[in-house]
Amino acid sequence: MIGIFDSGLGGLSVLAAIARVLPRADLVYLADTAHVPYGDKPDDFIRGRVLAIGRHLVAQGCDLLVVACNTATAHAVTELRQQHPGIPVVGVEPGVKPAAQGSRSGRIAVLATEATARSERLRRLIREHAGNVDVRIQPCPGWATRIETLNLDGEELDADIRDKVQPLLDAGADHIVLGCTHYAFLMPALLRLVAGRAQLVDVAEAIARQVARLYVRPEGNARLHLQATARPERLHAALPALGLNWLAARAHGASLATP
Ligand code: DGL
């Protein structure tokens, strides 16, 4: 069974990509909704949550973990791997490398949570894969919460997006990296502003391909368990609003988890 987790709904974008490439695999998705968002929390708090959730998923029998959260990966994937040396752990990091490789203007931007934006791991990723391009990091406080409350459309959202993204376009960024798994659900709103000017880079499909390469038990019973640390019924009910009705049909509700 593959264990996939995030602070909330964002990692569902990664879950969906994995369920598409491994349609028979057994999956469990855990949303740490009692503590969402992670992006405005201290580093130690994020690390503590990731390690507790990792233990919880492994105790349920997960034999591959996917940290479907850039913030959690930035602050805790190394420790999580140390705690579970026998289990592959796949983290999610902003697609800085493909953006840098595809850039013609030599300018790219990363939209991320505050915690990812300040992380040393993001700085290292940029040094290693985007040394020859100009990279702007744009923190987007409040965006993950918008998605949690299914506030995915409207003028106020467009204004917020314009506020953060227009200066990046004006500065010549031709690739804008979605450095938070929640932001995949803002794709239509983001495209309204950037279409024809910059490309949006999301890594969910690349992560799913990596999981498929690593996973040794792809033929399961196509089971999907949804778990949340608060209000699990909201997790299941959110799926249609996120365009994931097909996952809702597979999940048969959601249960409370207390890692
Ligand atoms: N979805 C997460 C990420 O990829 C975290 C968002 C949050 O909880 O602030 O960074």
Side-chain angles (χ1 to χ4, degrees):
M1 187 161 64
I2 301 176
I4 303 157
F5 67 95
D6 179 38
S7 58
L9 303 177
L12 292 170
S13 57
V14 179
L15 167 69
I18 293 172
R20 275 191 214 102
V21 297
L22 293 173
R24 299 291 313 160
D26 294 322
L27 309 172
V28 48
Y29 181 84
L30 188 144
D32 194 9
T33 41
H35 303 99
V36 69
Y38 284 172
D40 63 0
K41 305 284 190 308
D43 300 358
D44 282 352
F45 178 86
I46 298 167
R47 201 167 301 124
R49 292 308 302 154
V50 170
L51 298 181
I53 293 168
R55 281 193 296 274
H56 172 85
L57 291 172
V58 170
Q60 286 180 59
C62 290
D63 50 4
L64 188 149
L65 296 178
V66 182
V67 186
C69 173
N70 294 261
T71 309
T73 301
H75 291 285
V77 78
T78 306
E79 289 88 339
L80 187 63
R81 289 194 173 115
Q82 282 162 359
Q83 281 208 346
H84 305 284
I87 290 181
V89 175
V90 177
V92 174
E93 291 189 291
V96 165
K97 186 176 177 183
Q101 285 172 345
S103 178
R104 285 163 171 260
S105 67
R107 296 200 174 89
I108 67 170
V110 181
L111 306 176
T113 66
E114 294 146 285
T116 299
R118 69 168 177 263
S119 70
E120 177 47 36
R121 204 175 165 99
L122 177 58
R123 255 160 260 292
R124 197 169 66 220
L125 189 71
I126 291 171
R127 266 200 312 276
E128 285 173 4
H129 297 294
N132 54 344
V133 300
D134 181 67
V135 186
R136 287 203 181 192
I137 303 171
Q138 176 61 57
C140 303
W143 283 22
T145 302
R146 277 187 183 283
I147 289 119
E148 290 299 312
T149 52
L150 300 178
N151 174 2
L152 306 173
D153 221 337
E155 274 180 27
E156 199 219 327
L157 171 66
D158 284 348
D160 194 5
I161 287 179
R162 214 175 310 115
D163 192 46
K164 303 282 185 314
V165 178
Q166 188 66 50
L168 307 172
L169 297 173
D170 292 344
D174 63 357
H175 284 69
I176 298 189
V177 179
L178 307 187
C180 169
T181 52
H182 277 77
Y183 304 169
F185 296 113
L186 293 180
M187 200 78 98
L190 282 161
L191 276 172
R192 276 200 291 277
L193 181 67
V194 312
R197 301 182 65 186
Q199 228 172 291
L200 297 175
V201 179
D202 180 50
V203 296
E205 284 175 13
I207 296 296
R209 285 194 298 273
Q210 192 187 346
V211 170
R213 276 194 299 275
L214 289 171
Y215 197 49
V216 293
R217 257 178 283 278
E219 292 303 319
N221 295 307
R223 273 194 286 262
L224 172 61
H225 295 287
L226 295 178
Q227 302 179 359
T229 55
R231 303 188 61 190
E233 68 291 347
R234 281 198 66 231
L235 172 61
H236 190 262
L239 291 168
L242 300 173
L244 300 173
N245 238 329
W246 58 283
L247 279 178
R250 203 169 135 175
H252 309 296
S255 55
L256 186 70
T258 51

